[in-house]
């Protein structure tokens, strides 16, 4: 059957860049990779703990990591940075201390910056979090998908495809439902496509959400 490749990895070097930029000798590579994962998890957990309860969306689109010999530069792209910055001005320093404690650095400096995204709902991660929030509140999945598509249309994208798989609406037989609006040319390498897969834990079981957004040629 049709083998599906991750659209981001497929486009590396043309329309897509890496989210982590660093160099390591082969024997240290795995350590660096695990360190990246730890940094990302730590930041996500921190944001989850410290956001205001009212909003279900964390609003992190992606976390980019650049490592030099003595410095680790982390850039967090957020749709709603107010959720993190509001309240205490020392939030970012606090986050920095948190991550440093997690990884116990001695000789490397950690630098965290937050960048705001102009159109947050044009980003698959933020959309997936939105849909996940809806599904947890037992909104019917079709309604959630349609709402998500409406939100992306406001962020003027050229096409979007949303797929939800698993025990939808708590049915006993798992199935896959998807919906597409506009065009999503997955075969075209020139086309810049944003993709994310996200897992939601509902009371019936785990659902998988996949979102492809066609930004532009």
């Amino acid at each position: 059957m049709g083998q599906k490749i991750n659209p981001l990895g497929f486009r590396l070097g043309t329309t897509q860049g890496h989210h982590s930029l660093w160099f390591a000798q082969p024997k240290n590579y795995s350590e660096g990779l695990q360190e990246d994962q730890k940094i990302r998890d730590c930041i996500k957990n921190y944001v989850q703990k410290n956001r205001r309860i009212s909003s279900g969306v964390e609003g992190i689109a992606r976390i980019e990591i650049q490592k030099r010999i003595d410095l680790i530069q982390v850039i967090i792209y957020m749709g709603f940075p107010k959720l993190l910055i509001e309240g205490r001005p020392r939030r970012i320093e606090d986050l920095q201390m948190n991550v440093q404690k997690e990884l116990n650095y001695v000789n490397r400096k950690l630098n965290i910056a937050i960048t705001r995204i102009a159109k947050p709902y044009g980003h698959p991660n933020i959309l997936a979090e939105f849909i996940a929030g809806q599904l947890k509140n037992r909104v019917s999945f079709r309604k959630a998908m349609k709402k998500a598509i409406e939100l992306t249309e406001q962020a003027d994208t050229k096409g979007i495809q949303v797929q939800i798989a698993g025990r939808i609406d708590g049915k006993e037989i798992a199935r896959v439902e998807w919906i597409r609006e506009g065009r999503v040319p997955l075969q075209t390498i020139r086309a810049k496509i944003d993709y994310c897969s996200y897992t939601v834990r509902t009371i019936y079981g785990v659902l998988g959400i996949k979102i492809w957004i066609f930004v532009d040629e």
Side-chain angles (χ1 to χ4, degrees), residues 17-186:
H18 291 271
H19 288 176
S20 293
L21 293 172
W22 42 270
F23 178 79
Q25 295 294 344
K27 61 173 186 285
N28 304 334
Y29 180 79
S30 58
E31 283 169 28
L33 200 62
Q34 283 164 345
E35 187 179 77
D36 274 13
Q37 196 53 46
K38 261 191 205 153
I39 292 175
R40 291 200 166 96
D41 288 345
C42 192
I43 290 172
K44 277 179 186 157
N45 291 341
Y46 180 85
V47 173
Q48 233 166 2
K49 276 194 199 109
N50 290 313
R51 60 171 189 214
R52 296 205 308 279
I53 305 300
S54 59
S55 65
V57 184
E58 290 170 37
I60 296 181
R62 64 181 189 276
I63 298 172
E64 287 189 359
I65 299 175
Q66 297 166 6
K67 291 186 194 169
R68 306 200 182 86
I69 296 170
D70 51 355
L71 174 74
I72 295 180
Q73 170 78 34
V74 179
I75 305 169
I76 307 174
Y77 289 87
M78 291 187 80
F80 315 103
K82 280 202 190 97
L83 300 183
L84 190 58
I85 299 163
E86 212 170 66
R88 300 208 300 273
R90 317 268 319 155
R91 272 283 165 83
I92 297 182
E93 284 89 340
D94 195 27
L95 174 57
Q96 248 165 339
M97 293 299 296
N98 244 10
V99 177
Q100 253 160 340
K101 223 181 290 169
E102 182 82 13
L103 297 163
N104 50 45
Y105 287 135
V106 187
N107 49 1
R108 297 171 93 180
K109 223 171 135 271
L110 183 77
N111 190 2
I112 295 181
I114 291 182
T115 308
R116 186 169 174 273
I117 301 169
K119 293 174 177 152
Y121 286 116
H123 242 275
N125 287 63
I126 296 173
L127 262 192
E129 276 167 13
F130 167 78
I131 295 178
Q134 297 278 340
L135 291 175
K136 276 182 183 161
N137 297 340
R138 307 220 199 159
V139 177
S140 89
F141 73 97
R142 265 207 187 88
K143 212 175 242 177
M145 295 209 291
K146 292 229 170 83
K147 184 84 182 102
I149 282 178
E150 273 170 35
L151 286 171
T152 28
E153 277 171 358
Q154 289 161 15
D156 53 64
T157 49
K158 295 195 176 167
I160 171 173
Q161 179 174 331
V162 182
Q163 175 181 308
I164 299 180
R167 289 184 59 177
I168 300 171
D169 290 343
K171 295 268 173 26
E172 287 205 357
I173 295 180
R175 63 181 199 278
V176 177
E177 290 282 345
W178 59 273
I179 182 171
R180 188 194 294 136
E181 198 69 43
R183 47 188 281 261
V184 185
L186 293 178

